[in-house]
């Protein structure tokens, strides 16, 4: 069965003509790809301007499923050795962000790096050095410092 049967059920309604060509060039095999195809068909009718980025996300899902981590965002993610608590969940979040919005994935990776720095007690970033230089002594400063570190990551 061709993957484009869904799209061809009403070809005159397709407002993004290159979609069929793109979909024909790729054999999707990742889990739930058929659901994504149905979602794309709905988008063609309701939000045609979102279809190209959705297709790019499908292509990134397929690459991940195939084990292809050659994209620079994934190379960056894989280049760090994370050990802080719950880093596995953050890594999955970064991979999901990569599928939908690669620039957001980069921000998530930067956040993970800051979490790792704090966990490793590396306080050499300018922001943390400034916080440490305050030499706070008032009651409750520990809670405020912890909150500032949380906001930093």
């Amino acid at each position: 069965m061709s993957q484009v049967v869904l799209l061809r059920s009403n070809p005159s309604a397709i407002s993004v003509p290159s979609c069929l060509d793109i979909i024909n060039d790729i054999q999707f095999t990742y889990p739930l790809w058929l659901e994504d195809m149905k979602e794309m068909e709905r988008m063609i009718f309701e939000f045609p301007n979102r279809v190209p980025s959705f297709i790019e996300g499908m292509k990134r899902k397929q690459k991940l499923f195939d084990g292809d981590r050659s994209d620079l965002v994934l190379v960056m993610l894989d280049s760090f050795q994370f050990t802080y608590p719950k880093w596995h969940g953050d890594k999955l979040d970064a991979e999901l962000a990569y599928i939908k919005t690669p620039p957001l994935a980069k921000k998530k990776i930067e956040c993970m790096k800051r979490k790792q720095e704090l966990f490793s007690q590396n306080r050499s970033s300018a922001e943390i050095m400034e916080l440490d230089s305050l030499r706070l002594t008032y009651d409750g400063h520990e809670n405020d410092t912890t909150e500032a570190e949380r906001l930093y990551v």
Side-chain angles (χ1 to χ4, degrees):
M1 176 175 107
S2 173
Q3 293 184 20
V4 296
V5 169
L6 297 170
L7 298 174
R8 291 194 175 149
S9 62
N10 187 358
S12 63
I14 296 172
S15 60
V16 184
S18 63
C19 289
L20 291 174
D21 293 333
I22 292 169
I23 296 302
N24 280 331
D25 290 342
I26 301 169
Q27 180 64 41
F28 293 107
T29 58
Y30 65 86
L32 304 176
W33 69 266
L34 188 55
E35 284 78 2
D36 283 350
M37 294 290 284
K38 291 176 185 176
E39 176 65 15
M40 186 180 62
E41 181 180 47
R42 184 187 67 76
M43 290 175 90
I44 287 172
F45 293 101
E46 296 178 18
F47 307 105
N49 59 325
R50 294 184 187 171
V51 172
S53 63
F54 190 80
I55 291 172
E56 289 304 310
M58 289 176 67
K59 288 163 58 174
R60 287 189 291 270
K61 275 186 191 179
Q62 186 63 48
K63 281 184 169 187
L64 274 175
F65 180 73
D66 290 342
D68 180 351
R69 299 182 70 83
S70 62
D71 187 278
L72 291 178
V73 173
L74 297 174
V75 169
M76 184 168 76
L77 178 62
D78 294 342
S79 70
F80 296 103
Q81 196 68 28
F82 297 110
T83 59
Y84 66 86
K86 301 183 181 180
W87 70 269
H88 288 92
D90 288 346
K91 186 172 182 179
L92 287 174
D93 287 346
E95 289 174 342
L96 290 173
Y98 161 74
I99 290 168
K100 293 185 178 201
T101 315
L104 178 59
K106 290 178 186 177
K107 291 180 187 278
K108 288 186 177 285
I109 295 167
E110 291 301 318
C111 176
M112 292 174 70
K113 287 170 41 180
R114 290 190 297 272
K115 284 183 180 182
Q116 184 63 45
E117 287 173 2
L118 288 177
F119 179 75
S120 301
Q121 299 190 4
N122 174 354
R123 301 181 72 78
S124 61
S125 72
E127 297 86 354
I128 295 300
M129 287 175 49
E130 181 180 352
L131 178 64
D132 290 345
S133 74
L134 296 176
R135 307 279 186 232
L136 303 172
T137 58
Y138 63 87
D139 287 340
H141 76 276
E142 296 90 352
N143 291 339
D144 290 346
T145 300
T146 300
E147 178 64 8
E149 289 172 350
R150 186 189 68 75
L151 293 171
Y152 167 69
V153 297

